[in-house]
Amino acid sequence: MTSKRGPKRRDRHGRGLRGPLAPSYVPMSRARSERFDDLVLDAVDRLRPKWGKQLSAVEFAVEEVPPLSELGDGPGVGTGPIPFGRADTAKGPNPASVVVYRRPLEARARDRDTLGALVHDTVVEQVATLLGLSPDTVDPGYDERR
């Protein structure tokens, strides 16, 4: 028996698949993790004019959350602050690196501007740790934002 209706349609009201809400070239269409990566790169770019030579061999990375080894273990779990990042010195073939943790920073920020400031402060603090300097030496405006 043949059907008079033709092939079965997905919906009856003409509401097929919708296109993207925003074109791919506008910032709104970027994923949250991509926007966070941009904030980290912006923070690093702000430090490059003064510290470019020292930062040339440093790798910058973003991880979702700190590893369990950084959070502690046992009955004191959760009593210390959750780290926003870490700095690792160069070891053998591995270059020095700065890692920023996305989820703790996003949870702490109330809006995009606050998130940008927190990311910048975290990058400054980790670079200062790596270079053995104070954060206000790395970025003179660091203390003014606190």
mmCIF file of all heavy atoms in Angstrom, residues 84-105:
data_model
loop_
_atom_site.group_PDB
_atom_site.id
_atom_site.type_symbol
_atom_site.label_atom_id
_atom_site.label_comp_id
_atom_site.label_asym_id
_atom_site.label_seq_id
_atom_site.Cartn_x
_atom_site.Cartn_y
_atom_site.Cartn_z
ATOM 1 N N PHE A 84 43.782 29.263 41.619
ATOM 2 C CA PHE A 84 43.327 29.787 40.327
ATOM 3 C C PHE A 84 44.324 29.471 39.221
ATOM 4 O O PHE A 84 44.009 29.595 38.054
ATOM 5 C CB PHE A 84 43.122 31.293 40.399
ATOM 6 C CG PHE A 84 41.965 31.709 41.266
ATOM 7 C CD1 PHE A 84 41.994 32.937 41.896
ATOM 8 C CD2 PHE A 84 40.854 30.911 41.438
ATOM 9 C CE1 PHE A 84 40.928 33.352 42.692
ATOM 10 C CE2 PHE A 84 39.785 31.297 42.224
ATOM 11 C CZ PHE A 84 39.830 32.529 42.855
ATOM 12 N N GLY A 85 45.552 29.098 39.605
ATOM 13 C CA GLY A 85 46.574 28.796 38.610
ATOM 14 C C GLY A 85 47.805 28.242 39.271
ATOM 15 O O GLY A 85 47.890 28.147 40.501
ATOM 16 N N ARG A 86 48.782 27.884 38.433
ATOM 17 C CA ARG A 86 50.062 27.405 38.955
ATOM 18 C C ARG A 86 51.163 27.771 37.968
ATOM 19 O O ARG A 86 50.920 27.955 36.785
ATOM 20 C CB ARG A 86 50.040 25.910 39.223
ATOM 21 C CG ARG A 86 50.160 25.047 38.009
ATOM 22 C CD ARG A 86 50.357 23.567 38.365
ATOM 23 N NE ARG A 86 50.622 22.808 37.166
ATOM 24 C CZ ARG A 86 49.688 22.210 36.438
ATOM 25 N NH1 ARG A 86 48.423 22.270 36.803
ATOM 26 N NH2 ARG A 86 50.019 21.566 35.348
ATOM 27 N N ALA A 87 52.367 27.879 38.500
ATOM 28 C CA ALA A 87 53.546 28.157 37.690
ATOM 29 C C ALA A 87 54.546 27.032 37.904
ATOM 30 O O ALA A 87 54.836 26.667 39.039
ATOM 31 C CB ALA A 87 54.152 29.491 38.084
ATOM 32 N N ASP A 88 55.032 26.461 36.829
ATOM 33 C CA ASP A 88 56.017 25.387 36.892
ATOM 34 C C ASP A 88 57.298 25.857 36.227
ATOM 35 O O ASP A 88 57.271 26.343 35.088
ATOM 36 C CB ASP A 88 55.504 24.130 36.175
ATOM 37 C CG ASP A 88 54.254 23.549 36.815
ATOM 38 O OD1 ASP A 88 54.149 23.595 38.060
ATOM 39 O OD2 ASP A 88 53.389 23.053 36.071
ATOM 40 N N THR A 89 58.414 25.718 36.917
ATOM 41 C CA THR A 89 59.695 26.099 36.336
ATOM 42 C C THR A 89 60.119 25.072 35.290
ATOM 43 O O THR A 89 59.614 23.946 35.270
ATOM 44 C CB THR A 89 60.784 26.200 37.428
ATOM 45 O OG1 THR A 89 60.862 24.949 38.111
ATOM 46 C CG2 THR A 89 60.462 27.305 38.423
ATOM 47 N N ALA A 90 61.063 25.453 34.456
ATOM 48 C CA ALA A 90 61.561 24.547 33.416
ATOM 49 C C ALA A 90 62.302 23.386 34.067
ATOM 50 O O ALA A 90 63.077 23.579 35.006
ATOM 51 C CB ALA A 90 62.482 25.308 32.473
ATOM 52 N N LYS A 91 62.025 22.182 33.580
ATOM 53 C CA LYS A 91 62.680 20.974 34.100
ATOM 54 C C LYS A 91 63.112 20.128 32.913
ATOM 55 O O LYS A 91 62.265 19.570 32.212
ATOM 56 C CB LYS A 91 61.723 20.187 34.990
ATOM 57 C CG LYS A 91 61.381 20.901 36.268
ATOM 58 C CD LYS A 91 60.433 20.084 37.111
ATOM 59 C CE LYS A 91 60.057 20.869 38.338
ATOM 60 N NZ LYS A 91 58.643 20.956 38.564
ATOM 61 N N GLY A 92 64.407 20.045 32.703
ATOM 62 C CA GLY A 92 64.926 19.249 31.588
ATOM 63 C C GLY A 92 64.398 19.768 30.260
ATOM 64 O O GLY A 92 64.495 20.951 29.966
ATOM 65 N N PRO A 93 63.784 18.881 29.482
ATOM 66 C CA PRO A 93 63.279 19.323 28.172
ATOM 67 C C PRO A 93 61.946 20.095 28.264
ATOM 68 O O PRO A 93 61.520 20.708 27.290
ATOM 69 C CB PRO A 93 63.082 18.012 27.410
ATOM 70 C CG PRO A 93 62.821 16.994 28.474
ATOM 71 C CD PRO A 93 63.634 17.438 29.665
ATOM 72 N N ASN A 94 61.315 20.054 29.425
ATOM 73 C CA ASN A 94 60.029 20.739 29.585
ATOM 74 C C ASN A 94 60.246 22.223 29.880
ATOM 75 O O ASN A 94 60.953 22.565 30.828
ATOM 76 C CB ASN A 94 59.217 20.109 30.719
ATOM 77 C CG ASN A 94 58.880 18.662 30.455
ATOM 78 O OD1 ASN A 94 58.717 18.250 29.313
ATOM 79 N ND2 ASN A 94 58.799 17.874 31.510
ATOM 80 N N PRO A 95 59.614 23.096 29.097
ATOM 81 C CA PRO A 95 59.782 24.533 29.342
ATOM 82 C C PRO A 95 58.973 24.976 30.561
ATOM 83 O O PRO A 95 58.104 24.250 31.052
ATOM 84 C CB PRO A 95 59.213 25.171 28.065
ATOM 85 C CG PRO A 95 58.215 24.180 27.572
ATOM 86 C CD PRO A 95 58.766 22.823 27.955
ATOM 87 N N ALA A 96 59.279 26.165 31.046
ATOM 88 C CA ALA A 96 58.489 26.741 32.142
ATOM 89 C C ALA A 96 57.066 26.941 31.642
ATOM 90 O O ALA A 96 56.834 27.186 30.456
ATOM 91 C CB ALA A 96 59.097 28.071 32.572
ATOM 92 N N SER A 97 56.095 26.830 32.570
ATOM 93 C CA SER A 97 54.699 26.984 32.140
ATOM 94 C C SER A 97 53.877 27.676 33.215
ATOM 95 O O SER A 97 54.189 27.611 34.403
ATOM 96 C CB SER A 97 54.084 25.614 31.811
ATOM 97 O OG SER A 97 54.021 24.821 32.982
ATOM 98 N N VAL A 98 52.833 28.331 32.748
ATOM 99 C CA VAL A 98 51.832 28.941 33.616
ATOM 100 C C VAL A 98 50.500 28.333 33.217
ATOM 101 O O VAL A 98 50.130 28.352 32.035
ATOM 102 C CB VAL A 98 51.806 30.477 33.454
ATOM 103 C CG1 VAL A 98 50.602 31.070 34.167
ATOM 104 C CG2 VAL A 98 53.093 31.090 33.976
ATOM 105 N N VAL A 99 49.795 27.778 34.183
ATOM 106 C CA VAL A 99 48.499 27.161 33.933
ATOM 107 C C VAL A 99 47.442 27.941 34.704
ATOM 108 O O VAL A 99 47.606 28.223 35.888
ATOM 109 C CB VAL A 99 48.487 25.675 34.370
ATOM 110 C CG1 VAL A 99 47.132 25.044 34.125
ATOM 111 C CG2 VAL A 99 49.581 24.898 33.648
ATOM 112 N N VAL A 100 46.357 28.287 34.020
ATOM 113 C CA VAL A 100 45.240 29.010 34.634
ATOM 114 C C VAL A 100 44.042 28.065 34.652
ATOM 115 O O VAL A 100 43.754 27.409 33.649
ATOM 116 C CB VAL A 100 44.923 30.298 33.834
ATOM 117 C CG1 VAL A 100 43.759 31.038 34.463
ATOM 118 C CG2 VAL A 100 46.145 31.189 33.751
ATOM 119 N N TYR A 101 43.343 27.996 35.790
ATOM 120 C CA TYR A 101 42.192 27.101 35.935
ATOM 121 C C TYR A 101 40.903 27.874 35.661
ATOM 122 O O TYR A 101 40.569 28.831 36.355
ATOM 123 C CB TYR A 101 42.166 26.488 37.339
ATOM 124 C CG TYR A 101 43.429 25.723 37.655
ATOM 125 C CD1 TYR A 101 44.184 26.028 38.768
ATOM 126 C CD2 TYR A 101 43.862 24.702 36.820
ATOM 127 C CE1 TYR A 101 45.344 25.334 39.062
ATOM 128 C CE2 TYR A 101 45.021 24.003 37.102
ATOM 129 C CZ TYR A 101 45.756 24.313 38.210
ATOM 130 O OH TYR A 101 46.906 23.623 38.485
ATOM 131 N N ARG A 102 40.179 27.432 34.657
ATOM 132 C CA ARG A 102 39.001 28.167 34.181
ATOM 133 C C ARG A 102 37.821 28.134 35.142
ATOM 134 O O ARG A 102 37.243 29.162 35.483
ATOM 135 C CB ARG A 102 38.571 27.612 32.818
ATOM 136 C CG ARG A 102 37.380 28.330 32.220
ATOM 137 C CD ARG A 102 37.091 27.872 30.809
ATOM 138 N NE ARG A 102 36.488 26.572 30.722
ATOM 139 C CZ ARG A 102 35.186 26.348 30.783
ATOM 140 N NH1 ARG A 102 34.342 27.336 30.941
ATOM 141 N NH2 ARG A 102 34.710 25.132 30.685
ATOM 142 N N ARG A 103 37.432 26.961 35.592
ATOM 143 C CA ARG A 103 36.191 26.837 36.377
ATOM 144 C C ARG A 103 36.232 27.596 37.702
ATOM 145 O O ARG A 103 35.258 28.273 38.052
ATOM 146 C CB ARG A 103 35.849 25.365 36.602
ATOM 147 C CG ARG A 103 35.634 24.559 35.317
ATOM 148 C CD ARG A 103 34.399 24.995 34.545
ATOM 149 N NE ARG A 103 33.181 24.712 35.236
ATOM 150 C CZ ARG A 103 32.458 23.607 35.091
ATOM 151 N NH1 ARG A 103 32.826 22.682 34.264
ATOM 152 N NH2 ARG A 103 31.362 23.448 35.784
ATOM 153 N N PRO A 104 37.306 27.519 38.494
ATOM 154 C CA PRO A 104 37.319 28.288 39.745
ATOM 155 C C PRO A 104 37.212 29.799 39.503
ATOM 156 O O PRO A 104 36.543 30.510 40.258
ATOM 157 C CB PRO A 104 38.658 27.932 40.386
ATOM 158 C CG PRO A 104 39.045 26.639 39.789
ATOM 159 C CD PRO A 104 38.482 26.638 38.406
ATOM 160 N N LEU A 105 37.854 30.284 38.448
ATOM 161 C CA LEU A 105 37.790 31.714 38.155
ATOM 162 C C LEU A 105 36.388 32.118 37.690
ATOM 163 O O LEU A 105 35.871 33.157 38.099
ATOM 164 C CB LEU A 105 38.836 32.096 37.107
ATOM 165 C CG LEU A 105 40.268 32.140 37.641
ATOM 166 C CD1 LEU A 105 41.265 32.166 36.512
ATOM 167 C CD2 LEU A 105 40.448 33.337 38.548
#
